[in-house]
Amino acid sequence: MSSTTGDPAENSDAPLRQDSLVQFRVAHLNMLQGVIGRMAGYSSGVKNFAVTIAAASLALAFDKTSDLPLWIAMAATLLLGALDAYYHFRERGFRATYERVAGEPLSKASELTIKPDYASFFGALGSVSIWSFYLPLLGVVGWLILKGLPL
């Protein structure tokens, strides 16, 4: 902004000052951190919902003679596990973007794109935070289905 007229177009070709570039970088990293935090929150919410659905289905299964609630619990756990893996996949992409942006030279600080870098969905699906939660849940439901079926 020009100090004489206040017209920002007068200095549009002037390079940004170092403190402005630092402010851009901090703002960009804060935006990325906000997205990462939301993805982690969504993932946590999906896990809570998976436990709630599985527990309700298991309670119904013990109360009824049908195995249908157990099959519903199995399907819900698989679907919610896939949704959780998707959020984890997106979170990984944004974490990669965060690390890339944080390591870039300060001269690129005015580029404020919010787009995830490449991450593998199957890598996210194989993450310890996914399979260590959903595999035991599926195991319990599967065991109850097998135990409840006539042999």
Side-chain angles (χ1 to χ4, degrees), residues 44-60:
S44 176
V46 168
K47 282 183 174 72
N48 288 334
F49 192 58
V51 167
T52 303
I53 293 294
S57 297
L58 293 175
L60 284 174

Side-chain angles (χ1 to χ4, degrees), residues 35-37 39-41 43 86-96:
V35 172
I36 292 166
M39 293 297 129
S43 179
Y86 173 76
Y87 286 134
H88 190 63
F89 153 70
R90 284 293 171 201
E91 180 187 342
R92 281 183 168 199
F94 281 109
R95 278 189 285 143

Side-chain angles (χ1 to χ4, degrees), residues 120-143:
S120 167
F121 176 76
F122 293 106
L125 193 58
S127 170
V128 173
S129 68
I130 301 297
W131 62 260
S132 68
F133 181 81
Y134 291 98
L135 196 59
L137 193 57
L138 287 170
V140 167
V141 173
W143 179 75

Side-chain angles (χ1 to χ4, degrees), residues 67-149:
D67 286 337
L68 183 62
L70 292 174
W71 288 106
I72 291 171
M74 179 72 76
T77 302
L78 288 170
L79 290 172
L80 291 170
L83 181 61
D84 193 5
Y86 173 76
Y87 286 134
H88 190 63
F89 153 70
R90 284 293 171 201
E91 180 187 342
R92 281 183 168 199
F94 281 109
R95 278 189 285 143
T97 301
Y98 184 95
E99 290 171 8
R100 179 183 49 80
V101 167
E104 285 180 344
L106 202 54
S107 61
K108 291 186 174 186
S110 61
E111 299 171 14
L112 301 176
T113 58
I114 304 291
K115 181 179 145 192
D117 285 353
Y118 175 76
S120 167
F121 176 76
F122 293 106
L125 193 58
S127 170
V128 173
S129 68
I130 301 297
W131 62 260
S132 68
F133 181 81
Y134 291 98
L135 196 59
L137 193 57
L138 287 170
V140 167
V141 173
W143 179 75
L144 288 171
I145 287 173
L146 289 176
K147 184 179 175 199
L149 293 177

Side-chain angles (χ1 to χ4, degrees), residues 3-87:
S3 61
T4 57
T5 63
D7 184 10
E10 286 184 18
N11 285 338
S12 63
D13 293 333
L16 293 171
R17 293 189 343 215
Q18 186 80 3
D19 60 336
S20 295
L21 291 173
V22 169
Q23 288 176 354
F24 277 139
R25 175 61 52 85
V26 169
H28 193 194
L29 292 175
N30 282 336
M31 287 187 287
L32 287 168
Q33 186 60 45
V35 172
I36 292 166
R38 281 193 300 278
M39 293 297 129
Y42 295 156
S43 179
S44 176
V46 168
K47 282 183 174 72
N48 288 334
F49 192 58
V51 167
T52 303
I53 293 294
S57 297
L58 293 175
L60 284 174
F62 283 116
D63 231 12
K64 305 286 182 199
T65 58
S66 170
D67 286 337
L68 183 62
L70 292 174
W71 288 106
I72 291 171
M74 179 72 76
T77 302
L78 288 170
L79 290 172
L80 291 170
L83 181 61
D84 193 5
Y86 173 76
Y87 286 134

